[in-house]
Amino acid sequence: MNNINLEHLLNISQLAKILGKTPQAVRTDMYRGGSGTPPPVRMGRTVRWLPSTVMDWIHEREEKPTLQKNRRGAPTKAERIKKLRLDLRK
């Protein structure tokens, strides 16, 4: 079993500072179950983060650009032209 020094675990305020968010924004991301926070270490009701896990998570996100969210409404002119060009190639 891994020996984890509890002094080296990050609390929510420290994680928020690293991510450039408020502690409340980190909590909201965490409770929504999305990928807005790195995986935590849970100890009862206490939630902490391993610095190495946080850094790995940040590096993963840097390498993979986030996917563009689906937007509502009609496609823009640029999107219509792009689609037409792709359709013409087929």
Side-chain angles (χ1 to χ4, degrees):
M1 186 172 192
N2 290 339
N3 284 340
I4 298 174
N5 186 348
L6 297 180
E7 293 176 11
H8 292 101
L9 294 177
L10 301 172
N11 63 31
I12 199 158
S13 297
Q14 293 166 326
L15 178 67
K17 193 172 188 177
I18 291 169
L19 299 179
K21 297 181 177 185
T22 64
Q24 187 58 44
V26 172
R27 281 188 199 92
T28 301
D29 289 346
M30 195 171 68
Y31 294 132
R32 286 186 179 161
S35 61
T37 59
V41 175
R42 295 184 186 271
M43 298 172 284
R45 292 178 56 185
T46 305
V47 180
R48 298 285 188 262
W49 288 265
L50 286 166
S52 59
T53 304
V54 172
M55 296 314 293
D56 291 344
W57 181 83
I58 290 171
H59 290 302
E60 269 182 31
R61 292 180 62 93
E62 286 176 350
E63 292 170 9
K64 299 177 188 174
T66 56
L67 296 176
Q68 192 176 20
K69 292 184 178 182
N70 293 337
R71 57 180 221 51
R72 294 178 176 214
T76 63
K77 185 175 181 180
E79 290 169 337
R80 290 192 310 264
I81 291 170
K82 184 177 179 181
K83 186 177 184 316
L84 284 172
R85 287 181 181 160
L86 291 174
D87 289 343
L88 291 176
R89 288 184 188 173
K90 292 179 182 178

